[in-house]
Amino acid sequence: MKIAYIYDCIYPYIKGGAEKRIWEIAKRLARRGHEVHIYGIKWWSGEDIIEREGVFLHGVCPPAELYTDGRRSIRSPIYFAARVWLPLMRDDFDIVDCQQFPYFPCISSKVYSILKGVPLAITWYEVWDRYWLEYLGKPGIFGWAIERIVLRMPDMIIPISEKIKEDLKQIGGHDEIMRVAPNGVDFAKMDGMRADGTKSFDIIYVGRLISHKNVNILLDAIYLLKKDRPQIRCAIIGDGPERENLLKLCKARNLAENVVFLGFVEKDEDVYRYMHSSRLFVLPSTREGFPNTILEANSCGLPAIIVNGEKNAATGVVRSGYNGYILNLSPEEIAEKIGIILRDEELMQSLQNNSRIYAGEHDWDIIVKNLEGIYGDMMR
């Protein structure tokens, strides 16, 4: 098969869950003999088209600002959607897989699909529905509308979790054109890595520093834990518009000796070593699709603590009491649960073992074989 993936952000130049998913799938499909292309913004210097591990990366336009006032820019995806269409039209593909967010490139992909007679898949990461109105106020009606318009475009919708599939059905998605392909993890690689050797942490967070990730709640929990565990240590990996606010909060809470901001870590292997050097993974985000970081943490033997949220599909990834816990967005509740786990070695060992088992069931090779079957069925 000749496959085109459409997404404005390309791994490893931009690191996030969707970027990582596309890359891990693309390189494995290439190894299995398929010709794979990724179309995105050109985040690199040099040629517009480059090859990495058998995958062709197409930079269709110069970089654009992804965030405005801490929110994903609207101008950037419109710009990308306008620029991707012509480069895409110059080639012939068997399958086009466009990522649902930020919506506008799905329109360009649909035009290509119609003109070339090629089946279109849209991989769906999260359902916002009425959250658009909370997020943007009255202008959110446009986001609400385009989400429903895009829902009707593809020949196949690929939700990344069963929860997202159910959410899509609630807003009009048809079960017969939806097949779940969850995120995965390179389990053997992750499980075989070792700790950093020089640093150790009780807690680690990995992700963008943006408002809905609620890293401030984690810092408040550390503040509470510090009263009984003055030496508690937490690593924060990632960068984003909330960084300065979080640093100020750390200073105000006198957490300079307890919380280390490691910023954007270039190499995934270094992130994994930090995970192996930690005991618990905490992701207090209220809006997620299927976070790769949970599986990565589980592969390293780290149970994951996440929070309940109407738009948090990560609740479909963590089995509370098995490979982590699902809690309320409360620093008190998070601090209490962390304290219990850190004190109870038997509980910790059980959670660690279960976490590795769960991660092993989501190895990328298993996910790619499933996705390969979905694409094959679309071509029939």
Side-chain angles (χ1 to χ4, degrees):
M1 287 183 287
K2 190 173 179 179
I3 306 162
Y5 287 97
I6 315 298
Y7 191 53
D8 54 355
C9 299
I10 295 181
Y11 182 90
Y13 310 100
I14 303 293
K15 291 190 175 181
E19 296 90 329
K20 185 70 178 298
R21 173 190 170 91
I22 296 166
W23 175 246
E24 294 294 341
I25 289 171
K27 68 181 183 180
R28 283 170 174 79
L29 286 170
R31 289 174 197 162
R32 293 172 68 85
H34 303 288
E35 184 177 329
V36 186
H37 298 250
I38 302 175
Y39 288 80
I41 290 174
K42 185 183 176 185
W43 300 102
W44 59 90
S45 58
E47 298 294 325
D48 292 344
I49 303 174
I50 60 175
E51 182 183 346
R52 292 183 63 240
E53 297 190 45
V55 179
F56 298 93
L57 309 183
H58 299 251
V60 304
C61 56
E65 195 67 40
L66 288 179
Y67 289 91
T68 303
D69 297 328
R71 294 176 174 173
R72 194 68 145 82
S73 165
I74 295 175
R75 184 175 298 177
S76 173
I78 293 175
Y79 169 62
F80 170 66
R83 295 292 297 271
V84 72
W85 186 75
L86 279 176
L88 193 58
M89 283 297 296
R90 294 189 189 112
D91 212 335
D92 296 310
F93 294 96
D94 298 312
I95 294 287
V96 173
D97 187 334
C98 186
Q99 315 313 292
Q100 149 251 338
F101 192 80
Y103 302 109
F104 297 104
C106 295
I107 300 171
S108 302
S109 300
K110 181 62 176 178
V111 173
Y112 176 89
S113 171
I114 293 170
L115 294 178
K116 294 276 191 173
V118 173
L120 170 64
I122 293 182
T123 299
W124 216 282
Y125 293 83
E126 55 185 334
V127 178
W128 281 31
D129 193 25
R130 296 189 63 82
Y131 178 72
W132 277 110
L133 301 176
E134 180 184 333
Y135 187 67
L136 293 176
K138 289 183 179 179
I141 192 66
F142 295 104
W144 179 89
I146 197 168
E147 184 172 54
R148 280 162 170 72
I149 291 168
V150 170
L151 183 63
R152 285 153 180 78
M153 289 181 180
D155 300 285
M156 179 68 70
I157 295 173
I158 304 175
I160 65 169
S161 74
E162 290 291 343
K163 183 182 188 309
I164 293 169
K165 179 180 177 180
E166 291 305 312
D167 288 347
L168 285 167
K169 288 163 69 173
Q170 293 297 315
I171 66 169
H174 298 294
D175 187 71
E176 61 271 18
I177 65 162
M178 288 196 285
R179 289 174 62 179
V180 174
N183 281 353
V185 67
D186 190 338
F187 179 72
K189 177 181 178 180
M190 298 283 294
D191 190 51
M193 296 192 73
R194 292 294 173 261
D196 174 81
T198 59
K199 303 177 181 68
S200 63
F201 301 96
D202 299 292
I203 299 154
I204 189 168
Y205 165 89
V206 180
R208 289 176 177 150
L209 304 184
I210 49 182
S211 59
H212 73 262
K213 300 287 189 177
N214 299 304
V215 180
N216 59 309
I217 299 296
L218 172 57
L219 296 182
D220 285 341
I222 300 298
Y223 173 74
L224 295 173
L225 283 160
K226 185 179 178 180
K227 296 174 183 177
D228 293 324
R229 305 178 71 94
Q231 303 304 316
I232 192 159
R233 295 260 294 165
C234 174
I236 307 290
I237 293 180
D239 208 344
E242 286 296 306
R243 179 182 173 87
E244 290 305 315
N245 291 334
L246 295 171
L247 287 170
K248 289 177 184 176
L249 179 58
C250 267
K251 184 176 180 180
R253 295 293 203 186
N254 194 27
L255 296 175
E257 298 299 318
N258 305 95
V259 180
V260 179
F261 284 82
L262 296 168
F264 175 78
V265 176
E266 181 68 32
K267 295 182 179 178
D268 287 344
E269 290 77 9
D270 291 336
V271 175
Y272 305 151
R273 288 189 181 94
Y274 282 122
M275 284 183 169
H276 274 290
S277 301
S278 306
R279 305 189 71 194
L280 285 170
F281 176 74
V282 181
L283 179 65
S285 175
T286 50
R287 199 179 77 239
E288 293 291 332
F290 190 124
N292 294 69
T293 49
I294 291 176
L295 292 178
E296 290 168 349
N298 280 178
S299 294
C300 298
L302 274 66
I305 291 178
I306 65 168
V307 300
N308 260 316
E310 184 182 354
K311 299 302 175 188
N312 189 12
T315 55
V317 184
V318 172
R319 301 175 190 168
S320 207
Y322 182 75
N323 64 326
Y325 287 93
I326 304 170
L327 308 176
N328 292 314
L329 185 62
S330 157
E332 292 80 11
E333 190 168 329
I334 293 171
E336 180 182 16
K337 184 60 70 177
I338 290 172
I340 290 170
I341 298 170
L342 292 179
R343 285 193 300 270
D344 190 334
E345 285 299 327
E346 185 176 343
L347 173 61
M348 174 68 85
Q349 187 64 54
S350 174
L351 291 168
Q352 288 174 339
N353 292 339
N354 294 339
S355 294
R356 289 191 176 94
I357 292 170
Y358 184 83
E361 294 168 351
H362 289 80
D363 186 87
W364 274 122
D365 288 336
I366 298 171
I367 306 304
V368 167
K369 287 179 183 177
N370 173 40
L371 195 56
E372 196 175 37
I374 293 172
Y375 290 157
D377 290 344
M378 289 175 65
M379 292 173 60
R380 293 194 181 102

